[in-house]
Amino acid sequence: MESESKKLTPANQAKRENNTRKRDRNRKKRGSKTKVAVEGPPKPKNTLLPSPEKKVYRSKLPPLPVRKIDEPLATCPICNEVIENIAEALTSPEGGFCHFDCVLAKIASDERISETQKVSYVGRGTFAVVEPTTEGGFSFVKKIVWETPETFDTMKKYVEATKK
């Protein structure tokens, strides 16, 4: 025996259908549990950021003249070959310019280094005889000054004077 409240009467049936409609409407508002990409109007671009299209910039100013460097074709006094790139050369103590590799080989032969030692450039025209340490580093055995700051400045002024 069913209680009177659970009997399906026309009033109860209308109430039940109304609840079902409300439940369906709420489900539609919430959306389904699976996310589906909704195709809609494109989002507006951020106008504060520059556009991704690359625009070619054309200057209205005339181009600056580029001064050409006529490299001095000096010969290396150590190997007697022409120095093609003056930027890779060092000044010689006797005057003129020397190849960097020639200076490195000359110092290695003059210093009579052992098998574990090497000649290394440490900067500003200075070379050093280095020896590996047990910790994995290097120790300087001897420093050799090949090019003084005054001779380097003289070489720099000479190259600047040859610009056209």
Side-chain angles (χ1 to χ4, degrees):
M1 300 201 172
E2 287 185 41
S3 68
E4 289 185 21
S5 62
K6 293 191 177 185
K7 284 186 183 177
L8 266 174
T9 62
N12 286 346
Q13 193 171 0
K15 199 175 191 181
R16 183 177 278 179
E17 286 177 11
N18 194 13
N19 284 340
T20 306
R21 276 191 226 128
K22 282 183 184 178
R23 203 175 326 126
D24 289 344
R25 201 173 342 141
N26 287 338
R27 281 186 187 158
K28 286 180 184 175
K29 283 182 184 177
R30 278 186 270 154
S32 64
K33 290 185 180 180
T34 59
K35 303 271 180 172
V36 178
V38 178
E39 303 249 348
K43 292 182 181 178
K45 291 184 180 179
N46 190 347
T47 57
L48 296 177
L49 297 175
S51 64
E53 297 95 27
K54 293 196 178 199
K55 296 177 183 174
V56 178
Y57 177 74
R58 306 240 188 251
S59 175
K60 294 177 182 150
L61 298 173
L64 294 174
V66 178
R67 292 170 46 180
K68 185 178 178 195
I69 298 174
D70 286 334
E71 298 217 13
L73 295 176
T75 57
C76 176
I78 299 172
C79 66
N80 295 322
E81 291 184 16
V82 176
I83 298 171
E84 297 291 329
N85 190 1
I86 199 74
E88 296 174 358
L90 296 171
T91 55
S92 174
E94 300 90 36
F97 303 107
C98 300
H99 291 110
F100 178 83
D101 295 330
C102 293
V103 173
L104 200 62
K106 183 173 175 23
I107 291 173
S109 66
D110 289 350
E111 293 300 317
R112 302 191 199 292
I113 59 175
S114 68
E115 290 181 14
T116 59
Q117 296 175 339
K118 294 180 182 179
V119 178
S120 178
Y121 183 72
V122 293
R124 296 187 163 257
T126 306
F127 292 85
V129 177
V130 294
E131 191 170 52
T133 61
T134 56
E135 296 90 36
F138 291 96
S139 64
F140 288 176
V141 176
K142 182 178 180 181
K143 274 182 141 179
I144 303 150
V145 178
W146 182 268
E147 188 177 57
T148 63
E150 293 83 27
T151 57
F152 179 73
D153 286 340
T154 307
M155 177 180 151
K156 198 160 72 171
K157 287 176 185 172
Y158 173 73
V159 171
E160 285 292 322
T162 58
K163 287 184 180 178
K164 289 183 181 180

